[in-house]
Amino acid sequence: MTENSQQPQPAPTTELPTQYAPAEVEGKLYERWVERGYFEADAKSEKPPYTVVIPPPNVTGSLHLGHAFEHTLIDALTRRKRMQGYETLWQPGMDHAGIATQNVVERELAKERKSRHDLGREAFVERVWQWKAESGGQISGQMRRLGDAVAWSRERFTMDEGLSQAVQTIFKRLYDDELIYRAERIINWCPRCLTAISDIEVEYQDDDGELVSMKYGDGDDTIVVATTRAETMLGDTAVAVHPEDERYKHLIGKQVKLPLTDRSIPVVADEHVDPEFGTGAVKVTPAHDPNDFEIGQRHDLPAIAVMDEHAVITAHGPFQGLDRLEARSAIVAALRAEGRIVAEKRPYVHSVGHCSRCKTTIEPRLSMQWWVKVGPLAKAAGDAVRDGKVKIHPQEMEKRYFDWVDNLHDWCISRQLWWGHRIPVWYGPNGEVVCVGPDEEAPAGEGWTQDNDVLDTWFSSGLWPFSTLGWPERTESLAKFYPNSVLVTGYDILFFWVARMMMFGLYAMDGTPPFHTIALHGMVRDQNGKKMSKSFGNVVNPLDWMDKYGSDALRFTLARGANPGVDVPIGEDWVQGSRNFANKIWNATRFALMNGATVEGPLPDASRMSSTDRWILSRLNSVVAEVDAYYEDYQFAKLSDALFHFAWDEVFDWYVELSKTTFQAGGEAAEVSKRVLGEVLDVTLRLLHPVVPFVTETLWTTLTGGESVVIAEWPADSGFRDADAEREIETVQSVITEVRRFRADQGLQPGQRVPARLTLAGSPLAAHEAAVRQLLRLQPEGDAFQATATLPVAGFEVALDLSGVIDFAAERKRLAKDLAAAEKEKAQANAKLGNEAFLAKAPDNVVDKIRGRLTKADEDITRIQSQLEKLPQA
């Protein structure tokens, strides 16, 4: 059926422990794979390339369920492609994580009662490198636990020498092309971390605040504005209204007194203002609000900063030196004393941005920063998808991508940190500004200083698909493995990391995008679909589940929930179920080996096979084709589900069970079935391997004697189909399923034997009578046979003699009692649902519950009546 099965195989050992113990095999298997170099990528290879980069985890990070989920999907893709004959590169590495790493080391210094300023910049950076060497990167070991088939010899770090050269090179090129500039703009500022932070590093949450409405001006020139940040009013330089708002037309162009200050500010007309919101008038603080900054630019308003980098008030007056929150209360109190407070609403729940690292409320702040002019870069990134150079999967995510790249603002890339890629710009004593490339000498001489800021971490990670391959050098690896085949990542960073890689890749690599396909997945949530959060108490350490159930169980659970672009709920019960699946594979393979399943020699001709053999091989090839189609469409949940049901239901529960009588009888038919079973297990284990690599490696090498399933050939659909055999076995399954259902309905124990007559003579099912009897525990009819129950199933008849098994009178009495109870339940439910007064008052959930009781009562009545009809008369 496959090329693999046609090759002579060494005689396998059939020795397998009675139980599968993941902890005893996973670590050893992984180290063996690494030692043998299975995961390495050869740039000189003539095989077609298949490249995926790992979304680089933070050097401070540890494996969480999101990592485990994403890595499982990437690992499955690369393992399959390796088996298909591709030169696969799964590129590993880590991100230096500027803010997070600096915070970690600063906390360590704080324990020593020191700050980074006590050490100085050079010594502090050296201390961070020391921390990385000793404590950073624990996630690498955890990736090995999960089974990540990455090319470890190629591991990169965004601060290593090669990647640092790439960062300096692209900064210089962008600067020379006037796509990087320095300007004063509003940024997200963290008063705790003392740096600008990117949009993705801001977490929004609903906070209890206050909404204060206050009067500006006096007499006829009074105008009311509302704000949640009263402390910023000290920096107001205008009040804005909509130009068509009749209420304020008489004030446009006039000056109004700004309370608590000795300044007057103008009333300006701006279409940004929503006249339907609040009073229709807004205070304008250009130095402390991004929208106000834009209004200020349009109306040439001054920007007055009233807070320092610690969010402490700097404006002259009684509030100087107060923290922003202290100043807020003090300013409201002062306004109230002047009679300028019109309304106060507390609590006022509104969305507030917080630093994702330290949870401090961020402060919009006017600041001199470095920026990327994203216009032309973003256009190229959008056009690459529109033109079909890059496909986004699922396609419906394209709209979100376009909404983002088509409306990108210039990107603030400077950070006020010491850990990171320092901006390669020098300032001279006479105002000179020089950008230095990696092969250029920095200006020397008195008065020259380098910019103190470092680059946003996303700047270096945006180069990841090509910097990891040696760019800017034109290396063999770059020529072989760029562009990447696919990027697998969460939809939550589509706008940040993905967009930046697209912009930089197209810019640096002469219009060649960094990947052919962007495959987006959702977020991992708890089993109730709720976001995992420490505050919710539902965060799970994946290592705990791997310790308890094995890595394969966690991987299979995650893959089975992975529908493209959709969030993935996961619970421990599901991981336990996947552990049971791994055990099922183990036990079934062990049973098969003990009963002679083999891969030795070619498959027998179909004419020598039983219909059961032909059925399972026909189904096997259909599943191969199905799984391949799902892989190409990134449908991990569907391919995992298809493999689960094929392996458990069709191979283990049906084929193995139907073949037992053949094995027991011996002879040529048994030898043929043993070879077929060996083939089915061989192919099934190879199909399962990318998702559950450890258990399949142990079983496949034991079954085949092959070196490793990691480098085995991926199964191919031979085209063999046998519709007649499939219909025949489906009929057998119908007979067995229906009789089993009847036995259960009658309360028979699974192992209880019952005399039966099967009218299968002259039909294809006659060949299966021994298997049917064995599976259903049906004895031959015997001389005293009395057909007390007759079941017509799938065009055949199964007669059972229950006279010595069931007390019919007692059973009829029991069922009659159950029927009466079900009918009473139905009558009560109908009475309530027919009562208009009840329906008018009862909550919806109560009514729904009663409707559910009615449905169940109907089902119970139908079931019990059917059982009574099948019982013989006493």
Side-chain angles (χ1 to χ4, degrees):
M1 299 297 294
T2 65
E3 184 178 332
N4 186 71
S5 65
Q6 302 299 322
Q7 303 301 317
Q9 299 289 333
T13 173
T14 58
E15 291 297 321
L16 280 173
T18 55
Q19 290 184 325
Y20 177 49
E24 295 177 12
V25 300
E26 290 179 349
K28 295 174 185 175
L29 285 182
Y30 190 86
E31 290 310 313
R32 185 189 308 159
W33 292 334
V34 172
E35 289 167 6
R36 293 180 178 179
Y38 293 154
F39 307 152
E40 295 304 324
D42 182 4
K44 299 180 185 297
S45 169
E46 294 183 2
K47 296 178 182 178
Y50 187 81
T51 315
V52 186
V53 294
I54 191 172
N58 289 352
V59 66
T60 60
S62 59
L63 191 75
H64 56 63
L65 272 178
H67 290 130
F69 174 54
E70 187 167 80
H71 291 198
T72 294
L73 306 187
I74 300 173
D75 197 43
L77 291 174
T78 54
R79 283 180 182 271
R80 172 175 174 262
K81 285 295 182 180
R82 185 179 294 108
M83 296 171 76
Q84 286 183 313
Y86 286 78
E87 191 64 28
T88 59
L89 169 59
W90 184 9
Q91 174 67 53
M94 286 184 293
D95 192 290
H96 65 279
I99 295 176
T101 307
Q102 180 156 319
N103 279 348
V104 167
V105 178
E106 286 197 271
R107 282 197 295 270
E108 285 195 351
L109 286 174
K111 295 175 184 176
E112 303 170 16
R113 300 181 181 277
K114 294 180 181 178
S115 75
R116 60 183 161 121
H117 301 285
D118 293 323
L119 272 65
R121 183 168 195 146
E122 187 175 335
F124 176 77
V125 171
E126 182 59 37
R127 178 72 176 259
V128 180
W129 278 108
Q130 180 184 339
W131 175 87
K132 176 188 179 292
E134 295 173 357
S135 307
Q138 65 173 334
I139 195 171
S140 295
Q142 295 164 347
M143 287 164 57
R144 293 171 182 261
R145 283 284 314 277
L146 190 65
D148 286 5
V150 299
W152 286 112
S153 69
R154 292 173 171 266
E155 186 174 12
R156 303 304 298 268
F157 180 54
T158 50
M159 285 284 286
D160 69 27
E161 185 177 352
L163 270 65
S164 295
Q165 183 183 23
V167 168
Q168 193 172 354
T169 298
I170 202 161
F171 186 100
K172 171 69 172 173
R173 291 186 187 179
L174 289 164
Y175 182 89
D176 290 346
D177 287 344
E178 299 183 349
L179 293 173
I180 281 183
Y181 64 94
R182 193 169 183 242
E184 195 173 42
R185 298 272 185 85
I186 291 283
I187 45 87
N188 301 310
W189 181 264
C190 177
R192 156 63 183 79
C193 298
L194 298 180
T195 181
I197 61 176
S198 66
D199 290 338
I200 197 173
E201 291 163 324
V202 178
E203 292 180 349
Y204 287 90
Q205 66 184 49
D206 287 341
D207 284 0
D208 287 344
E210 61 182 7
L211 182 66
V212 178
S213 298
M214 48 197 181
K215 292 188 297 185
Y216 285 11
D218 296 298
D220 293 340
D221 293 344
T222 298
I223 191 166
V224 176
V225 299
T227 183
T228 58
R229 302 170 68 223
E231 69 278 9
T232 64
M233 60 86 60
L234 299 174
D236 286 358
T237 55
V239 173
V241 297
H242 193 276
E244 302 302 321
D245 194 331
E246 293 294 337
R247 294 171 295 177
Y248 303 118
K249 277 193 172 182
H250 69 289
L251 288 176
I252 294 173
K254 288 188 175 182
Q255 299 277 325
V256 295
K257 179 76 167 55
L258 180 64
L260 308 182
T261 72
D262 58 0
R263 292 190 292 118
S264 292
I265 57 177
V267 177
V268 299
D270 196 282
E271 291 188 352
H272 168 76
V273 179
D274 180 1
E276 303 298 322
F277 183 78
T279 64
V282 296
K283 58 190 287 300
V284 181
T285 322
H288 292 280
D289 184 275
N291 293 320
D292 293 3
F293 178 81
E294 297 294 334
I295 294 175
Q297 293 288 295
R298 288 193 288 272
H299 297 277
D300 197 26
L301 300 173
I304 301 174
V306 296
M307 278 181 255
D308 66 12
E309 65 270 24
H310 297 280
V312 170
I313 301 297
T314 57
H316 290 299
F319 312 109
Q320 186 174 9
L322 294 180
D323 172 79
R324 57 183 165 168
L325 298 182
E326 295 173 333
R328 181 177 301 171
S329 299
I331 286 171
V332 171
L335 289 168
R336 191 183 299 114
E338 289 191 3
R340 291 190 173 272
I341 297 297
V342 175
E344 297 178 70
K345 185 176 182 181
R346 296 187 185 88
Y348 178 73
V349 179
H350 61 134
S351 181
V352 178
H354 296 258
C355 174
S356 63
R357 303 300 177 190
C358 67
K359 310 309 177 187
T360 302
T361 300
I362 63 106
E363 188 64 43
R365 184 169 188 254
L366 187 63
S367 179
M368 182 67 75
Q369 302 286 343
W370 284 94
W371 304 81
V372 172
K373 186 184 296 182
V374 300
L377 302 174
K379 182 180 184 303
D383 290 345
V385 175
R386 288 189 175 93
D387 298 344
K389 290 182 181 178
V390 178
K391 296 187 183 304
I392 293 180
H393 187 87
Q395 190 173 0
E396 54 265 28
M397 288 286 183
E398 282 186 3
K399 182 181 183 302
R400 296 179 67 178
Y401 176 78
F402 293 136
D403 286 347
W404 180 258
V405 297
D406 293 347
N407 297 286
L408 268 179
H409 296 114
D410 286 357
W411 170 22
C412 177
I413 56 171
S414 46
R415 298 291 178 267
Q416 289 63 56
L417 305 171
W418 286 356
W419 173 245
H421 297 101
R422 194 167 177 181
I423 288 174
V425 171
W426 271 255
Y427 305 106
N430 300 311
E432 304 95 331
V433 179
V434 176
C435 181
V436 178
D439 300 321
E440 300 172 348
E441 290 291 330
E446 187 176 348
W448 283 93
T449 58
Q450 186 177 358
D451 195 296
N452 280 319
D453 291 350
V454 301
L455 288 164
D456 177 12
T457 299
W458 294 102
F459 191 94
S460 52
S461 59
L463 315 181
W464 193 248
F466 51 93
S467 64
T468 51
L469 297 173
W471 187 90
E473 301 299 323
R474 294 288 172 174
T475 63
E476 283 185 320
S477 290
L478 190 65
K480 177 73 174 179
F481 295 113
Y482 187 92
N484 286 191
S485 306
V486 62
L487 174 75
V488 180
T489 192
Y491 63 70
D492 59 323
I493 56 174
L494 172 65
F495 318 125
F496 303 101
W497 188 46
V498 178
R500 282 149 175 69
M501 285 190 290
M502 286 285 281
M503 291 191 295
F504 282 167
L506 289 160
Y507 174 79
M509 297 300 293
D510 304 318
T512 302
F515 19 73
H516 297 301
T517 301
I518 302 168
L520 298 170
H521 59 72
M523 304 294 102
V524 178
R525 296 182 178 271
D526 72 12
Q527 61 188 14
N528 299 312
K530 194 172 184 179
K531 180 182 177 181
M532 288 193 173
S533 166
K534 289 181 180 177
S535 60
F536 296 153
N538 61 351
V539 174
V540 174
N541 183 345
L543 296 171
D544 292 341
W545 281 352
M546 287 193 281
D547 288 341
K548 195 170 183 181
Y549 303 111
S551 298
D552 285 332
L554 176 64
R555 289 170 61 114
F556 193 73
T557 304
L558 291 166
R560 204 173 175 194
N563 291 296
V566 178
D567 288 346
V568 183
I570 185 172
E572 186 168 0
D573 288 350
W574 305 342
V575 183
Q576 186 175 352
S578 295
R579 187 273 313 274
N580 295 344
F581 179 51
N583 289 342
K584 182 78 170 180
I585 302 169
W586 181 274
N587 293 333
T589 305
R590 184 170 178 272
F591 169 85
L593 288 169
M594 291 171 63
N595 283 273
T598 180
V599 297
E600 293 185 45
L603 271 176
D605 188 78
S607 62
R608 296 175 55 204
M609 296 180 188
S610 68
S611 56
T612 308
D613 295 332
R614 286 182 277 111
W615 160 72
I616 197 62
L617 290 174
S618 180
R619 287 293 305 127
L620 176 68
N621 279 284
S622 294
V623 169
V624 169
E626 188 179 2
V627 167
D628 276 333
Y630 285 144
Y631 262 115
E632 295 306 314
D633 198 34
Y634 304 99
Q635 297 280 359
F636 297 98
K638 290 182 179 179
L639 73 89
S640 299
D641 212 47
L643 286 170
F644 174 86
H645 287 295
F646 175 71
W648 192 308
D649 300 344
E650 298 186 81
V651 179
F652 305 146
D653 280 358
W654 283 110
Y655 180 71
V656 169
E657 294 299 322
L658 288 171
S659 300
K660 281 182 178 179
T661 53
T662 305
F663 293 152
Q664 291 165 2
E668 181 184 358
E671 296 306 310
V672 170
S673 291
K674 290 174 184 177
R675 178 64 188 88
V676 170
L677 179 54
E679 176 75 8
V680 172
L681 289 174
D682 169 20
V683 174
T684 302
L685 291 169
R686 283 186 278 147
L687 288 172
L688 282 165
H689 172 72
V691 182
V692 285
F694 294 108
V695 68
T696 51
E697 171 79 341
T698 304
L699 296 175
W700 187 86
T701 52
T702 303
L703 172 70
T704 67
E707 180 183 341
S708 173
V709 70
V710 175
I711 54 172
E713 183 181 347
W714 181 252
D717 175 10
S718 71
F720 176 81
R721 300 289 191 280
D722 192 323
D724 291 339
E726 290 197 35
R727 280 192 295 270
E728 183 176 319
I729 299 305
E730 285 172 9
T731 304
V732 173
Q733 290 172 329
S734 295
V735 170
I736 293 172
T737 300
E738 188 60 31
V739 176
R740 279 177 173 165
R741 184 180 295 117
F742 176 78
R743 288 177 57 110
D745 286 346
Q746 302 308 316
L748 296 178
Q749 295 301 314
Q752 197 167 358
R753 295 195 168 275
V754 177
R757 177 189 300 138
L758 279 63
T759 57
L760 306 176
S763 78
L765 267 63
H768 303 282
E769 180 166 349
V772 170
R773 285 187 176 277
Q774 181 166 309
L775 288 173
L776 291 173
R777 304 296 189 269
L778 301 180
Q779 298 175 184
E781 52 196 275
D783 295 337
F785 180 81
Q786 178 185 358
T788 58
T790 303
L791 304 177
V793 185
F796 300 92
E797 203 172 75
V798 178
L800 303 175
D801 182 357
L802 305 177
S803 57
V805 180
I806 297 176
D807 182 337
F808 297 121
E811 182 65 11
R812 186 172 291 280
K813 185 176 180 181
R814 182 185 71 80
L815 289 172
K817 183 178 179 183
D818 291 346
L819 180 61
E823 288 173 336
K824 181 180 179 182
E825 175 73 3
K826 178 179 179 178
Q828 290 175 340
N830 272 327
K832 286 191 175 182
L833 294 174
N835 185 334
E836 294 297 333
F838 169 78
L839 292 176
K841 295 179 180 179
D844 289 345
N845 64 318
V846 173
V847 176
D848 288 342
K849 187 175 181 180
I850 293 171
R851 288 191 178 121
R853 285 167 52 191
L854 177 61
T855 299
K856 184 177 185 303
D858 278 331
E859 291 172 351
D860 288 344
I861 290 168
T862 301
R863 174 179 55 81
I864 296 167
Q865 287 175 339
S866 174
Q867 291 175 243
L868 282 166
E869 289 169 5
K870 291 175 183 176
L871 275 179
Q873 296 299 317

